[in-house]
Amino acid sequence: MSELNQIALKIISDGKGILAADESNGTMTKRLEAVNVASTPENRLLFREILFSSTSIRECIGGVILYDETINQTTSLKNSIPDLISSSGAVTGIKVDTGAKELANSPEEKITEGLDGLRLRLKKYYQLGARFTKWRGVYYINRTSPSKLAIHCNAHALARYSALVQECGMVPIVEPEVLMDGDHSAETCFEVTSEVIKKCFEELILHKVDLSGIILKPNMILAGNSSKNKISNEEVSSQTLSCLKESVPSEVPGIAFLSGGQSEIEATENLNLINKNNNTNFIMTYSYGRALQQSAIKFWSKNIKDVQGTQNIFNHRAKMCTMAAQGKWSKELENK
Ligand code: 5MM
C-alpha cells in the first residue's frame, strides 16, 4: 500500500465520509444571508468551529475540506484549524482550485482555474497540515452542453492538478460535477456522467497519476431538478452503480459522492441504497456540503449561542450519512 493509498483509506473507510466545508466566501455569503446572518470572517469561523469541534468529527468524519480563509484562521482556544481537526483523528483537506470561470469560445460553459502557481500553494498547505485536496470541474447539461471542449479541458486540468498534488504528498479529490440544473432525463445524466468520468481517467492515466491514491467525487445519476420524469431512489442507486462500474478503473480505492442540491434525506437514502446494492469493489461514501450542513446552519442562525443544540443536529446528520455509507440507514433510525 502506498502512503497516498493509506491516506485515502483513512479518510473513507469504516463508514467514514467527508465534510465539504470548502464553500468559497461567495458561496458562504449566499448560505449565511439565506438565514439572515452577516457573512463576516468571524461568523464564518464561528459556525465552522462549532461543526469541527462536534463529536461526529471523531465518530463519522474521516476528512474535512477547508477553504483558504479557514485553514489560516485560529480557533477561539487559539489552536489552528488543522490541529482542531486532527485532534479528533480526521484528516485536513483543502480546496485548491480558484473557481470555475467562463470558458473561452464556449462562454456558457465553465473551466476551473488555479493551475498557475499551484505547486507553491500546495507546499504551503502541506506545511499547514493538509493531507488531501479538492478541485471541482462543473458541467452543464443542455442542448449543446457539455461540449467536447468543456469535457476535454476540465479533464486535463483535473489531471494536471492531481499529478501536482501527489507530487506534494497529498491525495487529490477529483470532482467532476455534472450539475442537476435543467429538465434533462436520468438517461442523459448517465450518458454525460459516463463520458465525463471516462475522459477524466484517460487524462489522469496520461499524466501518470497513481489511481490508488485519489478519491473520486462524482454526482449521482439523477434526472434534472426541473424534469417531470424523476426516477425512484432504487433506480438512482442501480444507475449510479452501473455508470461508475463501467467508467472507473478498479485501482481507485473509493468514491465519495457530492450531494449536489439533493435534500439531506434524499442524499442519505440514495447513498444507503447504493451501499446496499454495491456490486463493485469501491468504497462508496459521502463528501457532502449542503446535505450535512443545511439543518445545522438553519438552527444555528436562530440560536447563535446554542453550540450544543447546533452540534446535536450536525451529529445526527453525520451519523445518518455514516449509517448510509454502510447500507445500514433506515427511516426509523432517522426519526429516532
Ligand atoms: C462546499 O461547497 C463547495 C462549493 O464550492 P464553491 O463555493 O467554490 O462553489 C462544493 O465544491 C462542494 O464541495 C461540492 O459541490 C459538494 O457539496 P454539495 O453541497 O453538492 O454536497
Side-chain angles (χ1 to χ4, degrees):
M1 256 202 307
S2 71
E3 206 175 313
L4 293 175
N5 180 253
Q6 281 180 38
I7 298 172
L9 289 175
K10 177 171 176 190
I11 298 168
I12 57 174
S13 295
D14 306 322
K16 289 200 169 175
I18 299 169
L19 166 61
D22 60 311
E23 297 87 354
S24 56
N25 288 349
T27 303
M28 201 54 189
T29 297
K30 277 193 221 149
R31 304 268 187 270
L32 289 172
E33 286 180 352
V35 292
N36 299 313
V37 175
S39 182
T40 60
E42 295 73 27
N43 283 344
R44 293 193 284 269
L45 176 63
L46 210 59
F47 178 64
R48 285 167 167 157
E49 190 179 339
I50 292 176
L51 301 187
F52 304 163
S53 46
S54 301
T55 52
S56 54
I57 299 292
R58 178 176 301 282
E59 287 156 13
C60 308
I61 303 293
V64 180
I65 318 174
L66 304 175
Y67 181 58
D68 181 73
E69 174 183 87
T70 324
I71 202 170
N72 287 296
Q73 284 174 320
T74 306
T75 68
S76 47
L77 296 175
K78 305 279 171 259
N79 293 317
S80 78
I81 297 285
D83 281 352
L84 171 62
I85 292 167
S86 61
S87 68
S88 293
V91 183
T92 295
I94 179 81
K95 184 224 296 289
V96 300
D97 67 63
T98 55
K101 310 281 159 58
E102 209 170 88
L103 174 61
N105 288 331
S106 192
E108 302 200 327
E109 298 192 281
K110 296 265 166 47
I111 174 68
T112 302
E113 295 187 348
L115 289 170
D116 287 352
L118 180 57
R119 186 181 267 125
L120 282 179
R121 288 195 292 124
L122 291 172
K123 288 188 175 148
K124 189 192 87 187
Y125 288 137
Y126 188 94
Q127 279 166 4
L128 288 172
R131 290 297 176 269
F132 77 105
T133 65
K134 198 201 83 174
W135 180 290
R136 169 171 167 256
V138 292
Y139 307 82
Y140 295 88
I141 298 185
N142 60 40
R143 224 169 24 83
T144 50
S145 307
S147 63
K148 295 278 173 222
L149 175 64
I151 293 176
H152 171 83
C153 59
N154 275 297
H156 175 83
L158 277 162
R160 283 189 57 200
Y161 139 82
S162 299
L164 279 167
V165 169
Q166 290 192 337
E167 180 191 283
C168 293
M170 295 183 280
V171 169
I173 293 198
V174 175
E175 181 179 6
E177 176 174 7
V178 177
L179 296 168
M180 257 168 90
D181 308 7
D183 61 359
H184 54 269
S185 63
E187 199 181 346
T188 305
C189 177
F190 186 116
E191 282 160 18
V192 171
T193 303
S194 166
E195 186 181 355
V196 161
I197 292 179
K198 282 179 184 159
K199 188 69 190 171
C200 285
F201 281 105
E202 198 183 304
E203 290 287 330
L204 288 166
I205 291 165
L206 188 66
H207 287 256
K208 304 191 177 70
V209 171
D210 170 8
L211 298 185
S212 73
I214 73 158
I215 297 169
L216 179 69
K217 176 165 173 169
N219 50 285
M220 295 178 190
I221 304 301
L222 300 159
N225 50 16
S226 52
S227 162
K228 292 202 176 72
N229 300 311
K230 294 273 177 348
I231 56 171
S232 67
N233 296 326
E234 275 292 347
E235 282 171 307
V236 171
S237 87
S238 65
Q239 296 204 25
T240 301
L241 283 165
S242 38
C243 179
L244 296 171
K245 212 170 172 182
E246 69 163 47
S247 50
V248 183
S250 58
E251 298 94 306
V252 174
I255 292 173
F257 293 98
L258 57 93
S259 57
Q262 297 180 73
S263 71
E264 291 177 336
I265 303 291
E266 211 181 340
T268 310
E269 187 162 4
N270 284 334
L271 179 64
N272 187 55
L273 287 170
I274 287 171
N275 276 291
K276 274 194 152 168
N277 301 328
N278 190 359
N279 53 0
T280 73
N281 290 324
F282 304 121
I283 293 172
M284 300 279 188
T285 187
Y286 58 93
S287 175
Y288 292 165
R290 285 163 286 182
L292 277 172
Q293 300 181 52
Q294 238 159 42
S295 297
I297 203 169
K298 257 193 216 154
F299 178 88
W300 174 73
S301 69
K302 296 200 183 79
N303 308 274
I304 294 271
K305 298 231 162 79
D306 192 352
V307 172
Q308 191 56 59
T310 308
Q311 290 183 332
N312 289 345
I313 291 174
F314 174 67
N315 287 337
H316 177 69
R317 214 49 271 135
K319 189 164 177 215
M320 291 303 103
C321 288
T322 277
M323 295 307 280
Q326 300 166 91
K328 292 183 188 158
W329 174 86
S330 67
K331 288 206 169 103
E332 293 68 47
L333 261 181
E334 185 65 55
N335 299 322
K336 228 176 183 179

PDB file of all heavy atoms in Angstrom, residues 88-104:
ATOM      1  N   SER A  88      -9.247  15.218  16.505  1.00  0.00           N
ATOM      2  CA  SER A  88     -10.341  14.226  16.502  1.00  0.00           C
ATOM      3  C   SER A  88     -10.027  13.052  15.597  1.00  0.00           C
ATOM      4  O   SER A  88     -10.892  12.221  15.329  1.00  0.00           O
ATOM      5  CB  SER A  88     -11.646  14.873  16.015  1.00  0.00           C
ATOM      6  OG  SER A  88     -12.072  15.825  16.937  1.00  0.00           O
ATOM      7  N   GLY A  89      -8.828  13.009  15.066  1.00  0.00           N
ATOM      8  CA  GLY A  89      -8.440  11.868  14.229  1.00  0.00           C
ATOM      9  C   GLY A  89      -8.837  12.010  12.770  1.00  0.00           C
ATOM     10  O   GLY A  89      -8.651  11.084  11.984  1.00  0.00           O
ATOM     11  N   ALA A  90      -9.389  13.166  12.388  1.00  0.00           N
ATOM     12  CA  ALA A  90      -9.776  13.352  10.979  1.00  0.00           C
ATOM     13  C   ALA A  90      -8.622  14.026  10.216  1.00  0.00           C
ATOM     14  O   ALA A  90      -7.707  14.590  10.816  1.00  0.00           O
ATOM     15  CB  ALA A  90     -11.038  14.192  10.878  1.00  0.00           C
ATOM     16  N   VAL A  91      -8.696  13.931   8.899  1.00  0.00           N
ATOM     17  CA  VAL A  91      -7.626  14.457   8.043  1.00  0.00           C
ATOM     18  C   VAL A  91      -8.067  15.812   7.478  1.00  0.00           C
ATOM     19  O   VAL A  91      -9.227  15.986   7.097  1.00  0.00           O
ATOM     20  CB  VAL A  91      -7.332  13.471   6.881  1.00  0.00           C
ATOM     21  CG1 VAL A  91      -6.169  13.948   6.024  1.00  0.00           C
ATOM     22  CG2 VAL A  91      -7.056  12.058   7.422  1.00  0.00           C
ATOM     23  N   THR A  92      -7.138  16.766   7.418  1.00  0.00           N
ATOM     24  CA  THR A  92      -7.456  18.088   6.870  1.00  0.00           C
ATOM     25  C   THR A  92      -7.272  18.095   5.347  1.00  0.00           C
ATOM     26  O   THR A  92      -6.248  17.648   4.833  1.00  0.00           O
ATOM     27  CB  THR A  92      -6.536  19.162   7.489  1.00  0.00           C
ATOM     28  OG1 THR A  92      -6.819  19.242   8.880  1.00  0.00           O
ATOM     29  CG2 THR A  92      -6.779  20.534   6.863  1.00  0.00           C
ATOM     30  N   GLY A  93      -8.288  18.621   4.672  1.00  0.00           N
ATOM     31  CA  GLY A  93      -8.222  18.784   3.219  1.00  0.00           C
ATOM     32  C   GLY A  93      -8.397  20.243   2.858  1.00  0.00           C
ATOM     33  O   GLY A  93      -8.856  21.055   3.677  1.00  0.00           O
ATOM     34  N   ILE A  94      -8.035  20.596   1.639  1.00  0.00           N
ATOM     35  CA  ILE A  94      -8.123  21.995   1.220  1.00  0.00           C
ATOM     36  C   ILE A  94      -8.537  22.089  -0.240  1.00  0.00           C
ATOM     37  O   ILE A  94      -8.034  21.361  -1.081  1.00  0.00           O
ATOM     38  CB  ILE A  94      -6.761  22.727   1.480  1.00  0.00           C
ATOM     39  CG1 ILE A  94      -6.806  24.195   1.016  1.00  0.00           C
ATOM     40  CG2 ILE A  94      -5.590  22.013   0.830  1.00  0.00           C
ATOM     41  CD1 ILE A  94      -7.453  25.128   1.982  1.00  0.00           C
ATOM     42  N   LYS A  95      -9.488  23.007  -0.500  1.00  0.00           N
ATOM     43  CA  LYS A  95      -9.871  23.267  -1.894  1.00  0.00           C
ATOM     44  C   LYS A  95      -8.764  24.106  -2.524  1.00  0.00           C
ATOM     45  O   LYS A  95      -8.407  25.166  -1.991  1.00  0.00           O
ATOM     46  CB  LYS A  95     -11.188  24.054  -1.914  1.00  0.00           C
ATOM     47  CG  LYS A  95     -11.716  24.298  -3.326  1.00  0.00           C
ATOM     48  CD  LYS A  95     -12.211  25.711  -3.567  1.00  0.00           C
ATOM     49  CE  LYS A  95     -13.383  26.131  -2.749  1.00  0.00           C
ATOM     50  NZ  LYS A  95     -14.621  25.489  -3.138  1.00  0.00           N
ATOM     51  N   VAL A  96      -8.219  23.651  -3.644  1.00  0.00           N
ATOM     52  CA  VAL A  96      -7.103  24.395  -4.238  1.00  0.00           C
ATOM     53  C   VAL A  96      -7.430  25.001  -5.593  1.00  0.00           C
ATOM     54  O   VAL A  96      -6.602  25.693  -6.174  1.00  0.00           O
ATOM     55  CB  VAL A  96      -5.811  23.535  -4.320  1.00  0.00           C
ATOM     56  CG1 VAL A  96      -5.384  23.092  -2.934  1.00  0.00           C
ATOM     57  CG2 VAL A  96      -5.981  22.340  -5.233  1.00  0.00           C
ATOM     58  N   ASP A  97      -8.635  24.727  -6.124  1.00  0.00           N
ATOM     59  CA  ASP A  97      -8.973  25.422  -7.370  1.00  0.00           C
ATOM     60  C   ASP A  97      -9.373  26.846  -7.016  1.00  0.00           C
ATOM     61  O   ASP A  97      -9.716  27.148  -5.869  1.00  0.00           O
ATOM     62  CB  ASP A  97     -10.065  24.672  -8.157  1.00  0.00           C
ATOM     63  CG  ASP A  97     -11.412  24.669  -7.475  1.00  0.00           C
ATOM     64  OD1 ASP A  97     -11.990  25.754  -7.296  1.00  0.00           O
ATOM     65  OD2 ASP A  97     -11.897  23.573  -7.118  1.00  0.00           O
ATOM     66  N   THR A  98      -9.318  27.724  -8.010  1.00  0.00           N
ATOM     67  CA  THR A  98      -9.692  29.122  -7.734  1.00  0.00           C
ATOM     68  C   THR A  98     -11.024  29.469  -8.397  1.00  0.00           C
ATOM     69  O   THR A  98     -11.329  30.635  -8.628  1.00  0.00           O
ATOM     70  CB  THR A  98      -8.573  30.091  -8.180  1.00  0.00           C
ATOM     71  OG1 THR A  98      -8.274  29.840  -9.564  1.00  0.00           O
ATOM     72  CG2 THR A  98      -7.323  29.915  -7.358  1.00  0.00           C
ATOM     73  N   GLY A  99     -11.781  28.438  -8.705  1.00  0.00           N
ATOM     74  CA  GLY A  99     -13.149  28.677  -9.169  1.00  0.00           C
ATOM     75  C   GLY A  99     -13.351  28.372 -10.645  1.00  0.00           C
ATOM     76  O   GLY A  99     -12.404  28.296 -11.431  1.00  0.00           O
ATOM     77  N   ALA A 100     -14.625  28.199 -11.003  1.00  0.00           N
ATOM     78  CA  ALA A 100     -14.997  27.882 -12.385  1.00  0.00           C
ATOM     79  C   ALA A 100     -15.285  29.187 -13.123  1.00  0.00           C
ATOM     80  O   ALA A 100     -16.138  29.972 -12.695  1.00  0.00           O
ATOM     81  CB  ALA A 100     -16.208  26.974 -12.382  1.00  0.00           C
ATOM     82  N   LYS A 101     -14.550  29.423 -14.208  1.00  0.00           N
ATOM     83  CA  LYS A 101     -14.670  30.685 -14.966  1.00  0.00           C
ATOM     84  C   LYS A 101     -15.195  30.398 -16.371  1.00  0.00           C
ATOM     85  O   LYS A 101     -15.134  29.266 -16.850  1.00  0.00           O
ATOM     86  CB  LYS A 101     -13.301  31.369 -15.068  1.00  0.00           C
ATOM     87  CG  LYS A 101     -12.553  31.507 -13.749  1.00  0.00           C
ATOM     88  CD  LYS A 101     -13.067  32.660 -12.899  1.00  0.00           C
ATOM     89  CE  LYS A 101     -12.723  32.536 -11.421  1.00  0.00           C
ATOM     90  NZ  LYS A 101     -11.339  32.429 -11.073  1.00  0.00           N
ATOM     91  N   GLU A 102     -15.666  31.465 -17.023  1.00  0.00           N
ATOM     92  CA  GLU A 102     -16.178  31.346 -18.395  1.00  0.00           C
ATOM     93  C   GLU A 102     -15.128  30.682 -19.311  1.00  0.00           C
ATOM     94  O   GLU A 102     -13.955  31.073 -19.306  1.00  0.00           O
ATOM     95  CB  GLU A 102     -16.422  32.770 -18.888  1.00  0.00           C
ATOM     96  CG  GLU A 102     -17.512  32.892 -19.897  1.00  0.00           C
ATOM     97  CD  GLU A 102     -17.831  34.366 -20.136  1.00  0.00           C
ATOM     98  OE1 GLU A 102     -17.172  34.971 -21.002  1.00  0.00           O
ATOM     99  OE2 GLU A 102     -18.723  34.895 -19.449  1.00  0.00           O
ATOM    100  N   LEU A 103     -15.583  29.716 -20.087  1.00  0.00           N
ATOM    101  CA  LEU A 103     -14.665  29.005 -20.988  1.00  0.00           C
ATOM    102  C   LEU A 103     -14.569  29.768 -22.314  1.00  0.00           C
ATOM    103  O   LEU A 103     -15.594  30.001 -22.976  1.00  0.00           O
ATOM    104  CB  LEU A 103     -15.203  27.579 -21.205  1.00  0.00           C
ATOM    105  CG  LEU A 103     -14.493  26.698 -22.221  1.00  0.00           C
ATOM    106  CD1 LEU A 103     -13.025  26.469 -21.847  1.00  0.00           C
ATOM    107  CD2 LEU A 103     -15.204  25.340 -22.315  1.00  0.00           C
ATOM    108  N   ALA A 104     -13.349  30.128 -22.701  1.00  0.00           N
ATOM    109  CA  ALA A 104     -13.175  30.881 -23.951  1.00  0.00           C
ATOM    110  C   ALA A 104     -13.718  30.077 -25.126  1.00  0.00           C
ATOM    111  O   ALA A 104     -13.542  28.854 -25.196  1.00  0.00           O
ATOM    112  CB  ALA A 104     -11.690  31.180 -24.163  1.00  0.00           C
TER     113      ALA A 104
END
